[in-house]
């Protein structure tokens, strides 16, 4: 088995930063100590650099199968490992939508051949496939979700159907992850602005249409139901400060029955950025105010919000253009999420330890992942080595997404991803990929 020593890295893990050596044997971390010598091992000198557990992104749309003109598991997992993300969980709004166990397994088969990162795929749920969704295997599938399915079905956001949610929550012990916005409020807001502007609603009104009220109303409704059933609920991409305050911050993350997530774009952009970036920052839920951005960061720090994800959702440049109604919602993010978070660290908004807790440790905890999410002896060697003093600029030459653009284009970052290990394999090394070894299907403990 291959042996590698990472020497003198500043290891960011479990609330501490420690300078030490790390021995990888095969797929796993064999030893962590202040000094390790091993004659057979290849040595990587990491002096002055920081070693983090690879990020675990629980919300991506890699578009495979059926929408591969936007992205594929191959192209986006490549961008993910270049961005320090070593595991991802993908959404069911591929084509066909992932609404049967067979379609779900077909996605795993695609990933086993093409994914450079570790992977899991959510089982999709809508109002027609309850029995099928309930068959989901907790140990081999991350959870069930409605996220993104509203693009193909008017009744797609389950948060709007309390009776159905009541039934679902009463019958499942699988983690249910939801997209939470109120359709009727969004519809009324859309009508109001359409009367004024026709099809050419200014893009900066997106956050008045997909408004704070739409988020808060749906989230309150869903939380009331989940508290009644005490089922395992996770809410994706919380975008407002007022919702963030609805979540408990007293219970340790592993014991929480309800968990919440913030996304990198909601921690970075505000409504002021619509003027310059237009549809490139059109997301659902929308980018909101400065107060929301600051409130979300505060909620991460004080543990009302448990994890950080990307909601990586690529569209082609053409699909992102046209009027308010034509330009699609969503944008690519996996390659730039960690550099953006490290930039927020350098702006003193969040510590390195907290970044690691929210993007790796806690994701592992809330999904009950097996042997990942920490830098520990015996765990899989999913690692990212970063240089916090290596300035670079996002440009069309270094964007790896199949869609070829990024909402961060022309942004200068101070931190650079140097190397990424997935299961002990150095898959990304200063711009060069080792594509010979693919990622693993993620495993979870049965009881969530
Ligand atoms: Zn969503």
């Amino acid at each position: 088995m291959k042996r590698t020593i990472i020497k003198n890295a500043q290891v960011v893990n479990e609330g501490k930063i420690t300078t030490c050596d790390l021995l990888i044997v095969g797929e796993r971390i064999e030893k962590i100590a202040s000094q390790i010598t091993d004659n057979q091992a290849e040595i990587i000198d990491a002096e002055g650099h920081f070693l983090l557990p690879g990020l675990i992104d629980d919300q991506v749309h890699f578009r495979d199968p059926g929408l591969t003109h936007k992205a594929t598991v191959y192209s986006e997992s490549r961008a993910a490992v270049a961005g320090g993300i070593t595991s991802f969980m993908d959404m069911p709004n591929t084509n066909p939508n992932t609404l049967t166990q067979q379609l779900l397994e077909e996605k795993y088969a695609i990933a086993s051949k093409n994914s450079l990162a570790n992977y899991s795929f959510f089982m999709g749920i809508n109002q027609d496939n309850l029995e099928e969704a309930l068959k989901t295997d907790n140990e081999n599938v991350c959870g069930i979700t409605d996220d993104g399915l509203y693009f193909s079905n008017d009744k797609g956001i389950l948060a709007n159907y309390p009776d159905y949610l009541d039934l679902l929550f009463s019958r499942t012990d699988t983690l249910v992850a939801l997209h939470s916005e109120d359709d009727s409020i969004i519809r009324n807001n859309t009508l109001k602005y359409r009367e004024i502007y026709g099809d050419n609603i200014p893009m900066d009104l997106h956050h008045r249409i997909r408004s704070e009220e739409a988020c808060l109303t749906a989230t309150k409704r869903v939380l009331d139901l989940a508290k009644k059933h005490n089922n395992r609920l996770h809410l994706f991409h919380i975008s407002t400060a007022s919702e963030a305050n609805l979540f408990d911050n007293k219970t340790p993350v592993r014991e929480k029955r309800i968990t919440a997530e913030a996304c990198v774009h909601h921690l970075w952009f505000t409504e002021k950025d619509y003027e310059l970036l237009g549809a490139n920052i059109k997301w659902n839920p929308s980018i909101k105010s400065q107060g929301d951005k600051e409130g979300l960061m505060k909620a991460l720090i004080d543990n009302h919000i448990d994890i950080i994800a990307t909601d990586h959702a690529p569209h082609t440049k053409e699909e992102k253009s046209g009027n308010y109604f034509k330009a699609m919602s969503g944008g690519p993010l996996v390659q730039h999420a960690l550099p953006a978070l490290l930039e927020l660290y350098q702006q003193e908004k969040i510590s390195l330890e907290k970044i690691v807790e929210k993007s790796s440790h806690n994701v592992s905890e809330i999904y009950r992942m097996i042997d990942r999410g920490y830098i520990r002896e015996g765990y899989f060697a999913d690692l990212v080595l970063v240089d916090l003093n290596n300035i670079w600029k996002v440009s069309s030459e270094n964007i790896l997404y199949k869609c070829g653009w990024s909402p961060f284009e022309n942004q200068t970052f101070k931190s650079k991803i140097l190397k990424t290990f997935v299961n002990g394999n150095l898959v990304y090394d200063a711009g060069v990929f080792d594509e010979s070894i693919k990622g693993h299907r993620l495993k979870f403990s049965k009881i969530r």
Side-chain angles (χ1 to χ4, degrees):
M1 271 194 286
K2 190 169 161 65
R3 304 170 79 86
T4 307
I5 296 175
I6 303 175
K7 275 207 104 51
N8 291 316
Q10 296 176 68
V11 175
V12 186
N13 188 52
E14 299 187 64
K16 294 195 298 269
I17 302 177
T18 322
T19 304
C20 59
D21 293 358
L22 193 135
L23 171 64
I24 302 169
V25 178
E27 296 192 332
R28 295 189 186 242
I29 299 166
E30 173 95 359
K31 192 174 174 190
I32 305 166
S34 58
Q35 281 243 317
I36 301 174
T37 45
D38 183 314
N39 292 334
Q40 279 114 54
E42 185 183 315
I43 309 287
I44 292 172
D45 178 12
E47 182 143 9
H49 300 149
F50 289 80
L51 190 71
L52 285 53
L55 276 69
I56 306 167
D57 189 352
D58 83 331
Q59 205 202 159
V60 306
H61 301 259
F62 281 180
R63 310 300 194 196
D64 206 346
L67 299 165
T68 51
H69 67 287
K70 297 177 198 274
T72 65
V73 163
Y74 168 71
S75 63
E76 309 312 276
S77 68
R78 207 165 172 268
V81 295
I85 293 169
T86 52
S87 296
F88 67 85
M89 304 180 203
D90 183 82
M91 297 298 118
N93 60 326
T94 39
N95 190 12
N97 290 166
T98 317
L99 294 170
T100 68
Q101 296 294 334
Q102 190 190 331
L103 288 166
L104 181 62
E105 286 307 316
E106 287 170 15
K107 289 178 77 170
Y108 283 99
I110 292 171
S112 72
K113 292 193 198 83
N114 299 299
S115 181
L116 300 188
N118 303 311
Y119 50 87
S120 194
F121 293 87
F122 273 89
M123 176 65 186
I125 181 149
N126 67 13
Q127 292 183 70
D128 305 320
N129 77 332
L130 178 65
E131 297 306 323
E132 186 74 6
L134 290 173
K135 292 178 196 159
T136 301
D137 171 3
N138 276 355
E139 286 171 283
N140 291 297
V141 177
C142 48
I144 58 183
T145 186
D146 65 347
D147 193 74
L149 296 175
Y150 65 93
F151 283 109
S152 41
N153 183 335
D154 277 353
K155 292 181 178 171
I157 301 180
L158 296 189
N160 296 304
Y161 300 92
D163 291 346
Y164 186 72
L165 270 190
D166 200 45
L167 181 64
L168 169 64
F169 288 173
S170 72
R171 291 197 54 198
T172 187
D173 57 1
T174 300
L175 180 145
V176 178
L178 295 177
H179 178 120
S180 175
E181 288 188 287
D182 186 277
D183 268 342
S184 62
I185 293 172
I186 294 168
R187 214 174 306 120
N188 288 339
N189 290 338
T190 307
L191 281 173
K192 186 171 104 188
Y193 287 109
R194 199 165 204 158
E195 259 171 39
I196 305 170
Y197 297 102
D199 283 351
N200 293 309
I201 296 175
M203 211 57 78
D204 65 347
L205 293 175
H206 190 50
H207 76 110
R208 303 246 179 249
I209 291 173
R210 296 190 94 93
S211 63
E212 177 190 21
E213 189 199 4
C215 295
L216 189 59
T217 304
T219 297
K220 277 183 177 163
R221 189 189 299 141
V222 172
L223 291 183
D224 282 348
L225 277 168
K227 281 172 190 163
K228 179 178 136 192
H229 291 289
N230 199 35
N231 63 304
R232 184 66 194 87
L233 172 73
H234 178 63
L235 285 182
F236 284 141
H237 47 43
I238 294 301
S239 63
T240 70
S242 49
E243 286 169 283
N245 290 323
L246 300 175
F247 296 94
D248 165 26
N249 73 338
K250 303 285 187 290
T251 310
V253 66
R254 203 177 164 82
E255 289 162 32
K256 284 187 182 182
R257 299 302 287 162
I258 299 171
T259 52
E261 158 187 311
C263 285
V264 173
H265 45 287
H266 292 120
L267 299 168
W268 187 275
F269 297 106
T270 72
E271 59 186 308
K272 293 201 175 68
D273 296 311
Y274 286 111
E275 193 183 338
L276 195 64
L277 297 170
N280 281 3
I281 61 160
K282 188 185 186 212
W283 271 283
N284 299 343
S286 62
I287 297 295
K288 295 188 174 67
S289 70
Q290 179 73 22
D292 289 308
K293 177 174 118 164
E294 288 169 5
L296 290 172
M297 183 56 91
K298 184 170 172 293
L300 277 165
I301 307 292
D302 70 17
N303 299 328
H304 283 96
I305 293 185
D306 306 292
I307 66 167
I308 301 171
T310 69
D311 192 11
H312 175 87
H315 297 289
T316 64
K317 282 184 192 172
E318 198 190 354
E319 290 165 337
K320 289 294 280 182
S321 59
N323 68 38
Y324 178 78
F325 293 96
K326 289 223 169 80
M328 298 186 90
S329 291
L333 243 155
V334 284
Q335 190 186 351
H336 303 109
L338 181 55
L341 291 171
L342 294 172
E343 200 72 16
L344 293 175
Y345 156 72
Q346 282 164 324
Q347 294 167 10
E348 299 184 354
K349 303 229 163 58
I350 185 168
S351 68
L352 290 178
E353 295 92 324
K354 206 73 179 175
I355 290 173
V356 163
E357 178 191 323
K358 298 290 174 174
S359 60
S360 197
H361 301 337
N362 283 5
V363 192
S364 173
E365 294 297 342
I366 72 173
Y367 286 90
R368 301 282 192 267
M369 296 175 70
I370 310 255
D371 295 352
R372 299 190 191 275
Y374 294 90
I375 300 180
R376 286 179 182 162
E377 291 176 358
Y379 272 50
F380 286 102
D382 293 342
L383 303 163
V384 52
L385 189 67
V386 298
D387 184 348
L388 299 186
N389 198 3
N390 192 333
I391 295 174
W392 65 290
K393 189 175 178 177
V394 180
S395 75
S396 55
E397 283 97 79
N398 54 39
I399 289 171
L400 295 166
Y401 311 127
K402 184 166 184 186
C403 65
W405 69 276
S406 159
F408 286 103
E409 221 154 323
N410 296 318
Q411 174 70 43
T412 298
F413 287 123
K414 292 190 190 71
S415 302
K416 197 165 191 173
I417 313 303
L418 301 177
K419 297 177 196 292
T420 305
F421 294 83
V422 174
N423 307 316
N425 177 40
L426 181 55
V427 65
Y428 176 81
D429 187 6
V432 178
F433 294 86
D434 175 355
E435 300 184 358
S436 64
I437 300 174
K438 303 300 183 269
H440 288 329
R441 181 171 184 160
L442 295 170
K443 300 282 181 192
F444 310 90
S445 67
K446 196 171 176 61
I447 307 299
R448 307 256 192 115

